């Protein structure tokens, strides 16, 4: 099964790379632009996955009912809209970046620099979408409803009925 990477808060606000399977309720992880509290963790069992190849070279895997943050093409300055993964098509722009990556110390910095090659708040374009396979999934909830996926350099919305995986 896939096990997405999250950035857990370490001593003196440093980042500790932690897989979602090792995250505990009460941990602080990197959110949209601040540390957020993990409020729940769910083993969701076997679920169908969609795959998105992004313009930044990464692949995002998630359930069809997972909400992603899409930047509208007609009005990009209005902010990102939450859309179901099943409704997102090739050409959609997903919100990326995190301002905290510019300001906080990062443990194992050489491996994380790749996640900060895009300007915070810009987009990763969906270049391919496909149905994948079924896989075992884990989900978390956070205090703000959003968290950062460094392997894709995108901000994700969390909810109790959706699951995200990263390859």
């Amino acid at each position: 099964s896939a096990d997405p990477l999250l950035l857990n808060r370490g001593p003196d606000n440093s980042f500790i790379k932690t897989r979602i399977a090792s995250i505990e309720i009460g941990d602080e992880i990197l959110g949209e632009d601040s540390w957020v509290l993990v409020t729940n963790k769910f083993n969701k069992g076997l679920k169908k996955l969609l795959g998105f190849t992004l313009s930044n070279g990464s692949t995002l895997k998630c359930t069809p009912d997972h909400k992603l943050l899409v930047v509208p093409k007609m009005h990009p300055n209005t902010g990102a809209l939450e859309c179901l993964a099943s409704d997102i098509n090739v050409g959609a722009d997903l919100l990326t970046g995190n301002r905290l990556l510019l300001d906080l110390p990062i443990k194992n910095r050489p491996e994380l620099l790749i996640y900060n090659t895009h300007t915070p708040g810009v987009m990763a374009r969906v270049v391919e979408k496909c149905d994948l396979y079924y896989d075992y999934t884990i989900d978390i909830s956070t205090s703000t409803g959003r968290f950062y996926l460094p392997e894709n350099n995108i901000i994700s919305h969390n909810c109790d009925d959706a699951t995200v995986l990263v390859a």
Side-chain angles (χ1 to χ4, degrees), residues 17-152:
K17 297 181 294 181
T18 308
R19 295 288 173 186
I20 197 169
S22 300
I23 293 290
E24 301 290 337
I25 295 172
D27 284 354
E28 287 183 288
I29 62 172
L30 194 57
E32 186 171 10
D33 57 10
S34 65
W35 294 109
V36 296
L37 185 67
V38 175
T39 57
N40 215 335
K41 182 177 175 180
F42 310 91
N43 181 344
K44 304 293 280 189
L46 198 59
K47 298 279 185 177
K48 179 183 176 182
L49 301 178
L50 296 176
F52 296 92
T53 302
L54 304 180
S55 58
N56 62 15
S58 68
T59 299
L60 173 71
K61 296 178 184 178
C62 61
T63 56
D65 57 352
H66 189 78
K67 292 182 182 176
L68 299 171
L69 301 173
V70 177
V71 179
K73 293 184 187 309
M74 297 299 288
H75 305 285
N77 296 326
T78 60
L81 305 173
E82 294 177 358
C83 296
L84 293 175
S86 60
D87 295 335
I88 295 173
N89 294 311
V90 170
D93 292 323
L94 304 181
L95 186 65
T96 65
N98 193 292
R99 289 184 292 273
L100 288 184
L101 286 176
L102 302 176
D103 301 328
L104 298 177
I106 302 174
K107 288 192 181 225
N108 304 318
R109 181 173 287 274
E111 297 166 15
L112 289 177
L113 285 177
I114 190 170
Y115 306 132
N116 197 27
T117 59
H118 303 280
T119 305
V122 299
M123 291 76 68
R125 181 157 289 157
V126 174
V127 295
E128 182 180 15
K129 177 182 177 180
C130 62
D131 287 329
L132 294 176
Y133 45 84
Y134 285 77
D135 205 347
Y136 289 95
T137 57
I138 296 173
D139 194 13
I140 59 169
S141 292
T142 66
S143 53
T144 63
R146 293 182 178 180
F147 57 93
Y148 180 64
L149 294 172
E151 292 170 303
N152 299 107

